[in-house]
Amino acid sequence: MKVACCTVKHSESFCWRKIMNLNSFIFDTSIYVEPEFKYIGNMHGNEVLGRELLIYLAQFLCEEYRAGNERITHLIHDTRIHILPSMNPDGYEVAARQGPEFNGYLVGRGNAKEVDLNRNFPDLNALMYYYERHNGQNHHLPLPDNWELQVEPETLAVIKWMQNYNFVLSANLHGGAVVANYPFDNSREPRIRGKTSNSATPDDKIFKKLAKTYSYGHSWMHKGWNCGDYFDEGITNGASWYSLSKGMQDFNYLHTNCFEITLELSCDKFPPATALASEWLANREALVSYMEQVHHGIKGMVYDENNNPISNAVISVAGINHDITSGTDGDYFRLLLPGTYTVTASALGYQPFTKTVTVGPAEAVQLDFYLKVQPKGNVKAYPNKKGSTTSKSPPTNLGPR
């Protein structure tokens, strides 16, 4: 496997990267605290519109940056933008051989082994739902034993990518419907044929806001009636639509700091080339507006008393049962709606520190933390979501172990 990458600071900011045959563009300008954002397309090989739109988007960002577009310049200078046009190039090749006129609904959906990549991530929902009932961990859930041997090469590459970057916001582009789908995809309730139930995350309000940002930025998604289905305001909770396990968007939320939604962008999974121009115009504003959402909430650094950054510090927001952590350089980003919040930073070996902050509708508020070393003989373990230092272990039959 070869990895080739170039980075140009504060210029065209264009990078071509190959990761396990996954072609990925990165717009990179990292001098100060800035969030990581990603778009992923073509996870299902026969759902091709997202793949084409992301290539259009990469070209658009470069051209508008060179032209001096203030909005795009600001976005590129303040954001690390990762674009992965095709997560499943092998499936795409199978679908492309049939073309748009003869493509079947499932032909090329899976990878070269015909595995559905959106049913291939480690199942952390069962573990999360167990912890909800037993006062357990609420973020960065551990992966099962030997998980690398249980996933496909494409899934493995993407998980490693997630682990190497402190992603804050993401969207996964699909086709076959027109709706913005947000977590959880996997239902808390037992599956009963013909019955679905809403399965909300602790960040349900912000996820709805993110989904509406895309649906109302899109030319017609927000109208609700599309492809014979109706989704109020063009959004839906995943489990409320239909329950799906081992999906990528739930995995992002439960294993990393990243908030991801799934965008279904066309009734036709493989639209003809003649439709691409109109589809690009329908999605362009939504694609840009959604990226801009990464700059809402709070952001900052976690330091010790000597101004050394603290990695893996836990950032907790009172009233929201989902924590995030600082990155390797001590930086953190926490998406929040406008309001007043009580925020606590804690780290192993340090005394926790709490601040109150008011978040407005504009740019993220900078909120830095300086933690004092815990007195010797009084070192405490990381608290979980309710202050307890221990939690019950889940039954061994939960999850894919």
Side-chain angles (χ1 to χ4, degrees), residues 65 72 78 92 108 130 164 176 200 202 241 262 278 287 293 306 329 343 353 380 383 400:
Y65 184 87
I72 299 303
D78 293 348
Y92 171 78
Y130 177 86
N164 287 335
W241 186 10
T262 300
S278 60
L287 288 165
Q293 298 307 301
N306 297 314
D329 297 321
V343 184
F353 193 84
K380 297 179 181 180

Side-chain angles (χ1 to χ4, degrees), residues 103-346:
N103 187 258
Y105 196 78
L106 296 177
V107 175
R109 178 183 176 90
N111 67 354
K113 299 178 184 177
E114 298 186 357
V115 174
D116 187 331
L117 299 180
N118 205 31
R119 311 291 192 279
N120 189 238
F121 284 76
D123 182 8
L124 300 181
N125 291 79
L127 183 60
M128 181 73 253
Y129 299 156
Y130 177 86
Y131 281 157
E132 285 179 343
R133 297 191 302 270
H134 295 88
N135 192 37
Q137 188 172 334
N138 69 11
H139 67 100
H140 289 81
L141 301 191
L143 297 179
D145 297 335
N146 300 317
W147 68 270
E148 298 98 332
L149 304 178
Q150 302 172 29
V151 300
E152 293 299 299
E154 297 91 342
T155 309
L156 177 63
V158 168
I159 292 176
K160 294 293 187 182
W161 184 36
M162 293 178 189
Q163 293 173 334
N164 287 335
Y165 291 90
N166 187 20
F167 287 113
V168 179
L169 182 62
S170 174
N172 178 18
L173 280 57
H174 285 248
V178 178
V179 65
N181 177 106
Y182 57 89
F184 285 124
D185 271 337
N186 188 279
S187 178
R188 287 181 175 84
E189 306 299 327
R191 293 188 182 185
I192 300 176
R193 184 179 296 274
K195 181 182 178 181
T196 61
S197 60
N198 185 76
S199 189
T201 69
D203 287 285
D204 191 55
K205 292 181 180 179
I206 188 67
F207 271 118
K208 287 179 179 177
K209 170 64 163 53
L210 292 169
K212 287 179 183 179
T213 296
Y214 200 94
S215 70
Y216 278 92
H218 189 279
S219 294
W220 57 81
M221 183 183 289
H222 61 279
K223 295 180 180 179
W225 283 109
N226 290 294
C227 317
D229 293 318
Y230 178 76
F231 298 100
D232 189 31
E233 297 188 274
I235 70 171
T236 185
N237 173 264
S240 182
W241 186 10
Y242 61 89
S243 185
L244 178 162
S245 61
K246 300 184 179 181
M248 185 163 68
Q249 75 172 10
D250 287 7
F251 180 86
N252 270 268
Y253 186 70
L254 296 176
H255 184 63
T256 77
N257 287 327
C258 190
F259 288 32
E260 179 172 284
I261 68 172
T262 300
L263 299 170
E264 301 282 352
L265 298 179
S266 62
C267 303
D268 191 345
K269 287 175 174 276
F270 202 129
T274 54
L276 294 181
S278 60
E279 290 286 0
W280 164 243
L281 291 177
N283 284 275
R284 184 178 63 190
E285 174 58 30
L287 288 165
V288 174
S289 294
Y290 186 77
M291 284 191 287
E292 292 172 330
Q293 298 307 301
V294 78
H295 293 287
H296 293 282
I298 57 175
K299 65 179 181 179
M301 298 289 299
V302 183
Y303 299 104
D304 66 14
E305 295 176 277
N306 297 314
N307 291 321
N308 297 310
I310 301 175
S311 63
N312 206 36
V314 176
I315 308 298
S316 305
V317 180
I320 302 178
N321 189 25
H322 181 79
D323 303 334
I324 57 99
T325 59
S326 60
T328 55
D329 297 321
D331 57 323
Y332 78 90
F333 305 84
R334 212 316 175 176
L335 299 178
L336 293 168
L337 294 175
T340 299
Y341 299 92
T342 300
V343 184
T344 300
S346 59

Side-chain angles (χ1 to χ4, degrees), residues 2 38 43 73 78 257 262 294 335 359 375-376 397:
K2 293 182 179 181
K38 62 181 165 71
M43 186 181 200
T73 299
D78 293 348
N257 287 327
T262 300
V294 78
L335 299 178
V359 175
K376 291 184 178 180
N397 64 345

